[in-house]
Amino acid sequence: MDRQSFSERTKNQYPEGDQAPVNDRLQAFKTKGMGFASFLKDKTVQASTQLKQKSTEPDAAGQTPYERVRLATSQAAGKVTSTAAVGGQWANTYFKRTVDTTAEGIRKLTGSTLASVCRSEANTRPCPRLVLVCCVALVTRGLETENLFLEEAPLDLVQFLIGSFQEGSGAVLPPAGTSPHVLANAIKHFLATMPEPLLTYKLLPLLIQHGSQQPALANLVIAELPAANHCTLQLLLETFHRLSGNAAVNEMDAHTVATVMTPCIAWNPPPKPKSSFSIPGMSSSPTAPQMTRTSSGRQISVAPNLNTVLEGDESGDGSPSPSLARIPLDDDDTHAIVRVLEHLIANYKQLSDAPNSPLYKGPRH
């Protein structure tokens, strides 16, 4: 409501002779309003002046708040610039090294004879053909198979597949239509029937010790494995890592895979002979499969049925070959190796990307 309309309305409410009090009231109201506005203005100016004075007052070190903010901003910008420079330099070095290594690898691969390439790969990345082919086949089309490496496969099919990769055989691919369970069991039986476990008798005590205390330290022990053992283990770990990544479908998480595979890659050495006539590890029957429970509560067999590979591989008296007799680890040692294997499977991606890791897959110089 403006002043004019207010005056006209109040004028009609009073007789002609009573206009003076109304004008006086209007003037008083105006005076009070202007006084209140002036009061607010003065207070605002006063508060602004005090805030400005306070913000420019130096602290004990003689710095004003503005100077402190400017210094902190400058330091932060310096750190960002320095970090970016270091990171950029590292990235340039890494990518240049990777490109140079790749180019050198292509040059060697395309400029060498097949014989020299095969010899080089056998020397630098030795790995059993059966394990390599079966792992590649599983990664290609078997990762979603339920209970892979846990479920047993038909004996005759497993034996046929293992036989097709024997030395001198021309098989380089599994037979068409081979079940993923047959491929997985072939790997298990191949590993379980080696004269010495994949983790080796020499390094097994150290791995057990680290598994009982701090499984992450087992990375250092893995680096001491022989080249063939190291390459085979790395291939298996990558396969198991990808398998456990589909645990929602195949029900094989890292712990379950580690529990199933531990007896296939770790067992006790044969006892020392008591006399010159005793045969170490001689047994009239294969070791019975061990049973255990996974973290999810499932009871599973943690050792392959050695009958599937001992048949037809007997000594003259009909007993299994001494080299195939197995003395399984006790429960505590088995649990320690399971922890080590579970750690390696679950963290394989990080370990394979770290240049200082024994499982690093990138270029080394």
Side-chain angles (χ1 to χ4, degrees), residues 203-238:
L203 299 180
L204 195 55
L206 289 175
L207 292 171
I208 291 174
Q209 178 182 352
H210 291 318
S212 302
Q213 300 172 359
Q214 193 172 354
L217 296 179
N219 301 342
L220 304 176
V221 182
I222 296 300
E224 303 299 323
L225 285 171
N229 298 56
H230 184 277
C231 292
T232 303
L233 178 62
Q234 186 166 15
L235 175 61
L236 291 171
L237 290 176
E238 182 164 2

Side-chain angles (χ1 to χ4, degrees), residues 320-344:
S321 171
S323 62
L324 295 180
R326 295 289 175 261
I327 303 178
L329 302 177
D330 61 31
D331 291 344
D332 292 339
D333 291 349
T334 297
H335 180 65
I337 298 300
V338 167
R339 292 187 64 196
V340 169
L341 193 56
E342 180 181 1
H343 166 76
L344 295 174

Side-chain angles (χ1 to χ4, degrees), residues 22 25 73 83 88 102 152 164 171 192 229 234 307 363:
V22 174
R25 292 177 183 177
T73 304
T83 303
T102 302
E152 291 290 335
S164 66
N229 298 56
Q234 186 166 15
N307 286 315

Side-chain angles (χ1 to χ4, degrees), residues 56-291:
T56 57
E57 292 178 356
D59 57 10
Q63 292 182 330
T64 63
Y66 171 76
E67 291 173 341
R68 290 197 298 272
V69 171
R70 184 177 63 177
L71 178 60
T73 304
S74 176
Q75 291 176 345
K79 290 181 179 180
V80 171
T81 302
S82 176
T83 303
V86 174
Q89 182 179 3
W90 176 88
N92 290 335
T93 302
Y94 174 79
F95 288 120
K96 183 178 184 302
R97 184 176 62 185
T98 303
V99 170
D100 292 343
T101 304
T102 302
E104 179 67 14
I106 294 175
R107 186 189 67 79
K108 290 182 178 179
L109 184 62
T110 57
S112 305
T113 64
L114 285 176
S116 62
V117 171
C118 291
R119 284 195 300 267
S120 175
E121 291 183 353
N123 292 331
T124 58
R125 299 287 298 176
C127 183
R129 183 161 46 114
L130 182 145
V131 177
L132 176 60
V133 172
C134 290
C135 284
V136 171
L138 289 175
V139 169
T140 303
R141 57 181 178 84
L143 295 182
E144 295 185 355
T145 304
E146 187 175 350
N147 293 328
L148 192 65
F149 285 98
L150 174 59
E151 184 175 315
E152 291 290 335
L155 167 62
D156 56 341
L157 297 181
V158 174
Q159 289 180 331
F160 175 79
L161 181 61
I162 294 175
S164 66
F165 285 98
Q166 289 178 349
E167 185 176 359
S169 173
V172 292
L173 294 174
T178 303
S179 166
H181 289 297
V182 174
L183 296 170
N185 276 269
I187 294 174
K188 289 171 60 178
H189 292 304
F190 174 81
L191 297 172
T193 54
M194 291 194 299
E196 185 176 7
L198 182 66
L199 299 182
T200 73
Y201 292 136
K202 177 182 178 181
L203 299 180
L204 195 55
L206 289 175
L207 292 171
I208 291 174
Q209 178 182 352
H210 291 318
S212 302
Q213 300 172 359
Q214 193 172 354
L217 296 179
N219 301 342
L220 304 176
V221 182
I222 296 300
E224 303 299 323
L225 285 171
N229 298 56
H230 184 277
C231 292
T232 303
L233 178 62
Q234 186 166 15
L235 175 61
L236 291 171
L237 290 176
E238 182 164 2
T239 303
F240 298 155
H241 177 74
R242 298 191 184 192
L243 177 66
S244 63
N246 289 270
V249 178
N250 57 41
E251 299 185 1
M252 297 297 292
D253 56 21
H255 178 77
T256 304
V257 176
T259 303
V260 171
M261 294 304 301
T262 289
C264 301
I265 63 173
W267 56 82
N268 285 317
K272 295 181 180 180
K274 297 181 180 180
S275 67
S276 58
F277 299 101
S278 61
I279 301 178
M282 178 65 73
S283 174
S284 59
S285 61
T287 303
Q290 296 170 271
M291 303 298 293

